[in-house]
């Protein structure tokens, strides 16, 4: 905390501003659908933005549920921009873009992402449990791209859509947008039996690496999200940030629509560190006892999958959300490029 009154290096807060959603996606980590009865009101939300800015967060990502179902989303978004923070918005795109895209232009949104998990209406609509989900998402992407909004898609990979990734790639290349690819993990509505096998997971890493290498230096970006990778002898870091352990509660923060605070929004509710109605986000962030699983990590915390690994000290047992959702504890991630390579004798 030298030179600052706040802990660490705060970077991005991912904020679920409402749990209300107009779709029913099979991989939804928060089981979104109905509005929480105790969601933060507008004044509380604006104060939260100011407090996050005071702490030193550089950006706020708004998501749901579905952001555009909350009536004051433009007010909250404007406050984020007025504070000089990076504004990112994640949506399912199941709306008429003619009404929302002009608002995004007026706000000068810095990053706009739409979930696209299938290459065809059949797959996307099945995953999102809503007819027309693919067509609407595609139309929204194209409308945003047409007016030069920084737009991309997020694909959450699992058994149902894994084989369609090359066709989704073709859409990304045709539109000239960026693509974030992440692995579905068994949280919320997502069933464990739909997880990628470890071999397919490794193939996913190779696929993203190939794209990054082939299109390096071009406008199109291919990002392997935070839970994709670690310590391969062949595949470099796929995320823009080098992996040296989970960053939940260290440089990122997750906030639920009722004000509950987690190190990462994807973590289960057993990782809630407090509520901003009871203690300000400044107090929660700076409490030396919060986010202890990451901030106070010790080698002895490594689980059975990781305790004898030569990378354990630096890797810290991989993705906390994946580790906990699959094995029940942090620092025990079973999906690891290094271990997969050893098991398959890849050198």
């Amino acid at each position: 905390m030298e030179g600052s009154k706040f802990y660490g290096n705060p970077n991005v807060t991912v904020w679920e501003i409402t749990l209300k959603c107009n779709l029913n996606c099979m991989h939804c980590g928060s089981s979104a659908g109905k509005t929480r009865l105790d969601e933060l009101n507008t004044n509380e939300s604006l104060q939260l933005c100011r407090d996050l800015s005071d702490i030193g967060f550089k950006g706020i990502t708004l998501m749901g549920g579905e952001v555009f179902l909350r009536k004051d989303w433009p007010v909250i978004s404007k406050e984020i921009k007025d504070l000089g923070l990076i504004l990112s918005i994640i949506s399912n795109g199941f709306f008429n873009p003619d009404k929302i895209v002009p608002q995004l232009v007026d706000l000068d949104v810095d990053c706009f992402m739409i979930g696209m998990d299938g290459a065809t209406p059949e797959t996307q609509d099945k995953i999102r449990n809503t007819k027309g989900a693919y067509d609407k998402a595609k139309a929204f992407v194209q409308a945003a791209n047409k007016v030069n909004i920084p737009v991309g898609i997020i694909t959450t990979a699992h058994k149902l859509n894994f084989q369609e990734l090359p066709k989704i790639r073709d859409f990304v290349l045709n539109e000239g947008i960026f693509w974030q690819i992440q692995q579905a993990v068994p949280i919320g509505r997502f069933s464990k039996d739909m997880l990628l096998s470890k071999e397919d997971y490794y193939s996913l890493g190779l696929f993203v690496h190939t794209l990054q290498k082939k299109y390096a230096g071009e406008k199109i970006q291919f990002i392997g999200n935070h839970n994709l990778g670690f310590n391969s002898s062949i595949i470099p870091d796929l995320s823009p940030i080098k992996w040296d352990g989970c960053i939940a509660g260290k440089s990122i923060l997750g906030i639920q629509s009722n004000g509950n605070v987690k190190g990462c929004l994807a973590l289960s509710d057993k990782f809630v560190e407090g509520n901003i109605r009871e203690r300000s986000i400044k107090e929660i962030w700076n409490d030396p006892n919060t986010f202890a699983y990451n901030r106070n990590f010790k080698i002895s915390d490594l689980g059975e999958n990781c305790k004898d690994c030569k990378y354990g000290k630096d890797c810290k047992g991989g993705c906390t959300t994946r580790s906990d959702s699959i094995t029940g504890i942090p620092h025990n991630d079973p999906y690891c490029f290094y271990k997969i390579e050893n098991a398959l004798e890849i050198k």
Side-chain angles (χ1 to χ4, degrees), residues 100-166:
I100 297 176
V101 166
Q103 293 176 281
L104 297 175
V105 172
D106 289 344
L107 285 164
D108 192 23
V109 64
D110 296 288
C111 177
F112 179 57
M113 302 292 284
I114 288 181
M116 183 169 283
D117 304 293
T120 64
E122 180 183 9
T123 305
Q124 172 91 346
D125 294 2
K126 182 176 182 179
I127 291 171
R128 303 223 162 217
N129 281 305
T130 307
K131 186 175 177 57
Y134 175 83
D135 290 337
K136 283 186 174 291
K138 180 179 178 181
F140 211 125
V141 167
Q142 292 173 332
N145 197 26
K146 188 176 181 179
V147 294
N148 297 317
I149 290 173
V151 62
I153 63 170
I154 298 176
T155 299
T156 304
H158 46 73
K159 286 182 179 179
L160 193 58
N161 64 2
F162 181 65
Q163 298 298 329
E164 294 195 4
L165 294 180

Side-chain angles (χ1 to χ4, degrees), residues 28-79:
C28 180
S30 53
S31 300
K34 294 183 179 179
T35 309
R36 284 193 178 94
L37 297 179
D38 57 347
E39 291 186 344
L40 300 176
N41 62 36
T42 302
N43 288 336
E44 289 172 320
S45 298
L46 297 180
Q47 184 59 53
L48 175 59
C49 293
R50 298 177 196 119
D51 287 347
L52 290 169
S53 177
D54 287 345
I55 291 171
F57 280 92
K58 301 174 181 66
I60 297 176
T61 298
L62 301 181
M63 62 175 294
E66 173 50 53
V67 170
F68 299 142
L69 293 179
R70 177 161 172 152
K71 292 182 179 179
D72 62 354
W73 76 265
V75 177
I76 297 171
S77 298
K78 184 177 184 302
E79 182 69 15

Side-chain angles (χ1 to χ4, degrees), residues 198 201-202 229-231 309 315 322 333-341:
K198 291 179 182 177
Y201 172 74
Y202 190 76
F230 334 130
N231 304 313
C309 180
C315 178
R322 185 167 55 206
D333 190 347
Y335 280 76
C336 163
F337 285 168
Y338 172 66
K339 292 195 72 172
I340 293 171
E341 286 173 351

